[in-house]
Amino acid sequence: EAQVTQNPRYLITVTGKKLTVTCSQNMNHEYMSWYRQDPGLGLRQIYYSMNVEVTDKGDVPEGYKVSRKEKRNFPLILESPSPNQTSLYFCASGGQAATYEQYFGPGTRLTVT
Amino acid sequence: AQRVTQPEKLLSVFKGAPVELKCNYSYSGSPELFWYVQYSRQRLQLLLRHISRESIKGFTADLNKGETSFHLKKPFAQEEDSAMYYCALSVRGSTLGRLYFGRGTQLTVWP
């Protein structure tokens, strides 16, 4: 089944404790992206990747890191999480064309205390 | 710069009433427009894209380049249409595939 998976789905952590949220897709998509969703602010892009070893900042990259060593994986790294990073995070993947649909993961609910 | 505006955060209608979710965009080139939907506690999924010119679940959207709009319409809303709707824009060029989202409109359809 074609899908985007994220782990963990729920995470509660403390300020400053490094964490990684994994994202994996099995559709051989070139494009992958991370978003955060906050009430009243909608979806905001954190980072995106056009292909392996090619990443770029989205609209709200501060406090986040990503890597794209393999085509299927695009982990999101929070080196020193802070409470303002409490949010719902979505990973997405899609083909490298303007008309292509993007497929979203189920989301990761992160709480930083 | 590309931008997508959804002027309504919240929209409520009664079952059977027509519904229109507004979306305006700014982009100097030729955009690709999409509507994504997120039902309660589910992941976002594509509802429709302008290039397909199709009707999904009774929804249609027409790209109006003169007004730079891509409003989503349904003549008779159903309770199961209650969801968060996002308008999104994709552009050709160096950022192929990148989607620019509006802030979303929460639609509630009352019985």
Side-chain angles (χ1 to χ4, degrees), chain A residues 24-41:
Chain A
S24 184
Q25 51 95 2
N26 62 0
M27 294 168 279
N28 201 36
H29 285 156
E30 294 90 356
Y31 180 85
M32 296 187 75
S33 179
W34 277 103
Y35 300 88
R36 60 178 290 174
Q37 185 181 40
D38 302 288
L41 297 176

Side-chain angles (χ1 to χ4, degrees), chain A residues 4 31 35 37 40-43 45 48 50 57-59 90 95-102 104-106, chain B residues 9 32 34 36 38 42-46 49 51 84 86 90-92 94-99 101-103:
Chain A
V4 178
Y31 180 85
Y35 300 88
Q37 185 181 40
L41 297 176
L43 278 172
Q45 191 172 51
Y48 65 98
M50 304 300 288
K57 296 177 181 178
D59 300 315
F90 287 99
Q96 201 177 46
T99 56
Y100 284 8
E101 173 181 358
Q102 286 200 12
F104 283 79
Chain B
K9 275 189 182 179
E32 303 293 340
F34 305 81
Y36 282 78
Q38 186 181 27
Q42 294 187 27
R43 68 184 74 193
L44 275 87
Q45 56 187 287
L46 179 68
R49 70 191 94 184
I51 196 170
M84 178 70 90
Y86 289 96
S90 182
V91 302
R92 302 180 188 279
S94 62
T95 56
L96 272 178
R98 183 178 179 185
L99 273 180
F101 283 91
R103 291 195 173 188

Side-chain angles (χ1 to χ4, degrees), chain B residues 15-28:
Chain B
K15 177 182 173 181
V19 62
E20 181 180 50
L21 292 87
K22 291 184 168 50
C23 172
N24 290 91
Y25 67 90
S26 63
Y27 175 57
S28 57

Side-chain angles (χ1 to χ4, degrees), chain B residues 12-82:
Chain B
S12 294
V13 300
F14 285 102
K15 177 182 173 181
V19 62
E20 181 180 50
L21 292 87
K22 291 184 168 50
C23 172
N24 290 91
Y25 67 90
S26 63
Y27 175 57
S28 57
S30 193
E32 303 293 340
L33 275 300
F34 305 81
W35 277 99
Y36 282 78
V37 61
Q38 186 181 27
Y39 299 104
S40 180
R41 300 186 183 279
Q42 294 187 27
R43 68 184 74 193
L44 275 87
Q45 56 187 287
L46 179 68
L47 180 63
L48 57 79
R49 70 191 94 184
H50 92 270
I51 196 170
S52 301
R53 302 185 67 82
E54 56 195 345
S55 173
I56 304 292
K57 299 185 179 183
F59 284 98
T60 59
D62 290 318
L63 177 61
N64 185 323
K65 291 188 177 181
E67 295 183 359
T68 60
S69 68
F70 189 57
H71 303 327
L72 184 68
K73 301 176 185 178
K74 185 169 183 178
F76 307 104
Q78 303 299 315
E79 290 178 68
E80 55 266 30
D81 296 328
S82 295

Side-chain angles (χ1 to χ4, degrees), chain A residues 36-110:
Chain A
R36 60 178 290 174
Q37 185 181 40
D38 302 288
L41 297 176
L43 278 172
R44 293 181 293 169
Q45 191 172 51
I46 303 170
Y47 269 95
Y48 65 98
S49 170
M50 304 300 288
N51 216 322
V52 175
E53 302 290 2
V54 181
T55 63
D56 208 346
K57 296 177 181 178
D59 300 315
V60 287
E62 293 77 21
Y64 305 93
K65 282 176 57 178
V66 294
S67 69
R68 188 89 180 275
K69 293 183 169 54
E70 307 166 278
K71 200 171 189 179
R72 64 182 291 125
N73 297 321
F74 190 46
L76 179 69
I77 304 156
L78 284 71
E79 294 270 4
S80 182
S82 61
N84 64 11
Q85 293 178 298
T86 293
S87 187
L88 179 59
Y89 292 86
F90 287 99
C91 179
S93 75
Q96 201 177 46
T99 56
Y100 284 8
E101 173 181 358
Q102 286 200 12
Y103 295 84
F104 283 79
T108 295
R109 173 81 61 186
L110 172 65

